[in-house]
Amino acid sequence: MSNLIKPEHYEQLLDTQQTEQGIKLIKDFFQQNLSTELRLIRVTAPLFVLKGLGINDDLNGVERAVTFPIKDLGDAKAEVVHSLAKWKRLSLAEYKVEPGYGIYADMNAIRADEELDNLHSLYVDQWDWEAVITREQRNIDFLKSIVRRIYAAILRTEFLVCERYSNIKPFLPRDIFFIHSEDLLKMYPDKSVKEREDLITKKYGAVFIIGIGGKLSNGEPHDGRAPDYDDWTTEGENGKPGLNGDILIWYPVLDRAVELSSMGIRVDKESLLRQLAISGKEDRKELYFHKKLLADELPLSVGGGIGQSRLCMVLLHKAHLGEIQASIWPCEMMRECRSLGMPLI
């Protein structure tokens, strides 16, 4: 139970029925705003994909996918998705989406190796989105413009929630602050990654940390990234690597930074080969997804995922993800959460 954050004097602002209504309000409104901001159409997403094609996202490279045999395919193995990072790019090509437009989907996943706490669940629900871009848009300034538009949609959604429920007060700042992970390391050289995130996010309220996956000056990455979706080695602003990042907000209920979105400009042929070599994953060049990318059969793109339950949690001022979504939690955690006034679904 060491992972459980226990906020002092926590009190639910909405009862169960109001919470369910609030979840629907947020999901309906935000996805419409996201679609409008980024010019995205909704598409139907898979819950599982065939194993061995390189389509599933392997996150940090150590998480195990839930796997099962398919009887009618000769017991070929399927994997429950971790995210749709690569599937979306294949879909952009299939749908022949033009630059400046894209797709989004309701992504549902199972991450069996997740460490369960207030912010992490076995069940993952995201708005997974992907848009086609031009070669000239593969730069930090364009990435920042996308981040600002997503954050604007979050702010509008917060305003709607506060207008609907008078006892919920806004807490997000008007603007989002940008900082590269290397600069963040230099600001707090003696702090851990999590401590650095908390310090910068508490200072500015909402932050986009640029450059996730590539090694920093201390020889370590800010966080892990798979080598075959985000471009984390391209030279960005001031010569520092990374065309990706995370949106974090300071969440007063838990007194810590909370990540709402991971996103980035996707690898092109050159950065894919470079990152596969760095990661020692060059054997992936023979997989279906990677062959199509290396053959220039996939468009250049930018994309990411935005946590649905996590966004609902922070905008409804909840202390645990289990107050928003139905999942499986340790019995001891459920008992303790109930005693703290945050009963889990």
Side-chain angles (χ1 to χ4, degrees), residues 38-303:
L38 302 184
R39 294 193 284 188
L40 310 173
I41 62 167
R42 187 189 181 281
V43 298
T44 301
L47 178 59
F48 40 80
V49 294
L50 283 173
K51 184 177 181 179
L53 297 180
I55 298 176
N56 201 2
D57 177 9
D58 67 346
L59 303 174
N60 294 318
V62 297
E63 295 87 348
R64 301 169 298 169
V66 175
T67 306
F68 62 92
I70 306 171
K71 182 179 177 181
D72 272 6
L73 294 183
D75 281 346
K77 294 293 194 301
E79 292 180 340
V80 175
V81 296
H82 277 146
S83 85
L84 301 175
K86 304 186 188 87
W87 176 88
K88 291 177 297 182
R89 198 164 176 185
L90 291 166
S91 297
L92 289 176
E94 182 179 346
Y95 297 156
K96 297 180 173 57
V97 178
E98 296 293 326
Y101 296 88
I103 60 174
Y104 80 94
D106 286 297
M107 189 280 293
N108 296 292
I110 300 173
R111 296 182 182 174
D113 288 341
E114 201 72 80
E115 294 184 7
L116 307 181
D117 56 25
N118 302 61
L119 295 167
H120 298 89
S121 169
L122 300 174
Y123 169 62
V124 180
D125 54 347
Q126 292 183 168
W127 289 286
D128 245 326
W129 65 274
E130 198 86 9
V132 179
I133 62 174
T134 65
R135 174 66 62 179
E136 293 71 31
Q137 290 172 323
R138 299 190 79 256
N139 59 71
I140 288 291
D141 287 339
F142 178 76
L143 179 62
K144 287 181 177 180
S145 72
I146 297 292
V147 172
R148 289 190 182 98
R149 287 152 73 180
I150 292 173
Y151 187 68
I154 293 173
L155 285 180
R156 285 196 293 273
T157 309
E158 182 189 45
F159 177 78
L160 176 68
V161 171
C162 295
E163 187 179 45
R164 181 67 58 90
Y165 303 105
S166 60
N167 55 338
I168 293 181
K169 306 302 180 185
F171 68 95
L172 294 174
R174 181 178 297 273
D175 299 311
I176 187 166
F177 180 76
F178 293 88
I179 187 168
H180 195 282
S181 53
E182 177 65 34
D183 295 326
L184 186 58
L185 172 63
K186 290 177 180 177
M187 286 179 66
Y188 307 109
D190 300 324
K191 303 296 183 181
S192 68
V193 169
K194 183 64 183 67
E195 289 170 335
R196 296 199 294 270
E197 289 182 348
D198 281 344
L199 287 165
I200 196 68
T201 309
K202 187 172 186 178
K203 181 176 181 179
Y204 290 101
V207 177
F208 186 73
I209 299 178
I210 303 166
I212 310 291
K215 286 186 179 181
L216 304 177
S217 58
N218 64 355
E220 300 175 357
H222 183 83
D223 199 358
R225 280 294 188 276
D228 41 18
Y229 57 100
D230 284 353
D231 185 342
W232 41 258
T233 54
T234 295
E235 290 299 310
E237 61 179 18
N238 302 323
K240 294 185 287 289
L243 285 175
N244 67 351
D246 293 339
I247 296 176
L248 296 95
I249 56 100
W250 181 255
Y251 190 41
V253 174
L254 296 181
D255 198 33
R256 56 160 288 170
V258 172
E259 179 191 321
L260 294 182
S261 176
S262 173
M263 57 175 288
I265 291 172
R266 307 309 199 185
V267 289
D268 58 9
K269 181 163 56 177
E270 292 73 26
S271 54
L272 173 65
L273 291 172
R274 183 167 58 246
Q275 291 178 183
L276 290 178
I278 291 171
S279 305
K281 305 285 188 182
E282 291 178 285
D283 56 322
R284 294 189 185 183
K285 289 187 290 185
E286 301 306 313
L287 297 175
Y288 173 77
F289 170 84
H290 303 71
K291 281 184 175 180
K292 290 185 76 68
L293 179 53
L294 293 173
D296 294 319
E297 295 176 9
L298 301 180
L300 299 174
S301 67
V302 60

Side-chain angles (χ1 to χ4, degrees), residues 10 12-32 106 108 123 125-127 157-158 160-162 164-165 168 251 306-327 329 343-345:
Y10 173 68
Q12 287 189 318
L13 300 181
L14 304 179
D15 61 27
T16 303
Q17 191 173 88
Q18 289 174 318
T19 298
E20 294 291 355
Q21 292 168 345
I23 292 170
K24 186 176 189 307
L25 178 73
I26 291 169
K27 289 189 175 185
D28 289 348
F29 184 81
F30 179 79
Q31 69 180 2
Q32 185 59 54
D106 286 297
N108 296 292
Y123 169 62
D125 54 347
Q126 292 183 168
W127 289 286
T157 309
E158 182 189 45
L160 176 68
V161 171
C162 295
R164 181 67 58 90
Y165 303 105
I168 293 181
Y251 190 41
I306 302 164
Q308 294 186 14
S309 290
R310 200 174 279 191
L311 182 63
C312 291
M313 173 185 165
V314 300
L315 294 186
L316 297 178
H317 294 208
K318 300 292 186 178
H320 197 290
L321 207 60
E323 296 177 81
I324 296 295
Q325 60 163 238
S327 185
W329 309 97
L344 308 186
I345 297 174

